[in-house]
Amino acid sequence: MDAATEEADSIILQQIDRAGAVPRPDNIKEFHSEREYHAKAQTQTETYTADGEAAARDAAVTAAGLESAATAATGLITGAASSVETAREQLAHALRTLGHLARRDTPAKVRYWICLVALCLGDTAGILGAAITLGEIPLVALGQAVATGVAAITAGQAGADLKDLRLARIRQRDLEELTEDEQRYRQFFIGVEAGVSTMKLIGALSATIVAIISVGIFCLRLSVEGLTSGIAFGMLAAATALGSFLANYSYADEIADYLARTERTYAKAIKTHSKLAADPAVQKRAEALAGAASIKTEHTHRGRAAWWQLQALSARILRRNPGVAGHGVAAEQPEVIGRRFRGDAA
């Protein structure tokens, strides 16, 4: 402790001159140089604002020219968006209410069209070959053969009607027992007893078409290749029509058809909305407005930067002349806590 005490006694603190500063004169509110540079700073903001308007003029004019077309397109887009939402809700409701009643899977559509095309080609080829052999003009023979093949396939459409009748009987329920959601699709639950007579007529017409085509091909082949060939090709024509009947019977599903139509309506609404949303007028106007706004914002920031730069130069003038302007603004004197006049104490 003695050594530490001696060391402490030997330390001498160096004396330095006391720092001092001159405050700004309180009898001058603002120097002329400050007023000058403040005015110059204001001109910078106005100048850059004007430059921004000039630079953005072309974009602003373009946007104004597209306003009418863009407004019309926007209205259509809004309507299309409403249609998309309506179609989406309808599809979701139909799938939720009727989805469990559909009996046809997705691959059945591919199989169905493959069968119809193959059957039509088979009938067409059989008739075309016999007609050409008989001496018919090939182009005329082709047209007649295609028409006959399509007729045979069309005759088989009665199979779809028969399938719809059967499924309708299976779904038939008392309308008062239907749920609130099912009430929207009551046509699928009322049965089709009134359509039985019509179905019988369609069946009779289809059978007549099949018979006429079979007899016609039989006679055609009989005259060209003999009895055996006539019988064979006549039976093949009948088999083609019956194949079409069974293909249509297998594919028919009224509920699945309705769900498919609803889904196509939804897809079409989406496509229409997307096409309208890509309208060039809307896109170009949006781009022009964004470009004009960006240019104006840029010049606004540049104007503010120039304003602050001149304010800094004004302060620099005062700093370089402390003999006139002082070294800075005088600090506010804090109020002494607890000080009060003697009169207050009384």
Side-chain angles (χ1 to χ4, degrees):
M1 290 299 298
D2 295 337
T5 301
E6 292 178 358
E7 181 179 1
D9 291 339
S10 64
I11 296 176
I12 300 175
L13 298 178
Q14 182 179 0
Q15 296 183 0
I16 60 174
D17 294 337
R18 183 177 181 181
V22 179
R24 178 189 180 101
D26 56 4
N27 59 340
I28 298 179
K29 181 179 180 180
E30 193 173 18
F31 288 99
H32 291 306
S33 62
E34 291 180 285
R35 294 170 60 86
E36 176 187 357
Y37 273 82
H38 181 70
K40 289 182 177 180
Q42 293 298 326
T43 62
Q44 293 300 309
T45 57
E46 295 296 329
T47 299
Y48 274 93
T49 300
D51 291 342
E53 286 289 339
R57 182 174 294 115
D58 291 342
V61 170
T62 300
L66 294 171
E67 182 177 4
S68 178
T71 300
T74 301
L76 294 176
I77 292 171
T78 302
S82 177
S83 299
V84 170
E85 183 61 22
T86 301
R88 186 194 67 79
E89 292 178 356
Q90 185 175 0
L91 176 60
H93 188 274
L95 288 174
R96 184 173 61 252
T97 308
L98 302 176
H100 65 284
L101 297 175
R103 302 190 173 209
R104 186 177 68 215
D105 55 358
T106 302
K109 183 176 183 180
V110 179
R111 295 195 301 268
Y112 171 73
W113 285 106
I114 291 176
C115 288
L116 288 189
V117 172
L119 291 172
C120 185
L121 288 176
D123 242 359
T124 301
I127 300 172
L128 180 62
I132 293 176
T133 304
L134 193 62
E136 185 63 81
I137 300 174
L139 185 60
V140 176
L142 176 62
Q144 187 63 48
V146 171
T148 305
V150 172
I153 298 301
T154 304
Q157 294 291 327
D161 297 329
L162 181 62
K163 177 71 170 294
D164 288 338
L165 281 173
R166 188 178 74 84
L167 293 179
R169 288 196 181 97
I170 295 174
R171 293 193 305 265
Q172 186 173 7
R173 290 165 53 187
D174 188 347
L175 297 181
E176 295 181 356
E177 297 178 356
L178 299 179
T179 64
E180 183 178 355
D181 289 335
E182 291 174 341
Q183 287 291 342
R184 292 176 55 177
Y185 313 101
R186 57 189 302 163
Q187 71 272 20
F188 297 123
F189 301 98
I190 60 177
V192 286
E193 295 297 334
V196 173
S197 58
T198 303
M199 180 59 202
K200 291 180 179 179
L201 176 61
I202 295 175
L205 292 176
S206 298
T208 302
I209 293 173
V210 173
I212 291 173
I213 293 175
S214 299
V215 172
I217 293 179
F218 168 76
C219 294
L220 182 63
R221 287 288 177 175
L222 177 64
S223 63
V224 176
E225 299 175 357
L227 179 62
T228 303
S229 178
I231 295 174
F233 278 92
M235 295 179 64
L236 289 176
T240 300
L242 291 175
S244 173
F245 179 90
L246 293 177
N248 282 282
Y249 184 88
S250 174
Y251 181 76
D253 188 338
E254 191 176 11
I255 297 294
D257 290 339
Y258 177 80
L259 294 177
R261 289 195 303 270
T262 306
E263 187 174 359
R264 287 195 299 270
T265 300
Y266 178 49
K268 184 178 180 180
I270 293 177
K271 184 178 180 179
T272 301
H273 181 262
S274 300
K275 184 178 180 179
L276 291 173
D279 190 286
V282 177
Q283 181 180 0
K284 291 180 180 179
R285 184 172 184 269
E287 292 175 352
L289 288 175
S294 177
I295 291 172
K296 291 180 180 179
T297 301
E298 176 188 355
H299 282 75
T300 298
H301 287 297
R302 291 184 183 277
R304 290 176 181 174
W307 188 91
W308 281 111
Q309 185 176 11
L310 287 175
Q311 292 294 324
L313 292 177
S314 178
R316 178 184 179 88
I317 294 173
L318 300 181
R319 178 179 63 80
R320 292 176 61 83
N321 295 274
V324 177
H327 292 89
V329 180
E332 296 182 2
Q333 296 294 331
E335 182 181 356
V336 179
I337 300 177
R339 177 183 291 178
R340 60 183 179 176
F341 297 103
R342 294 185 179 183
D344 296 337

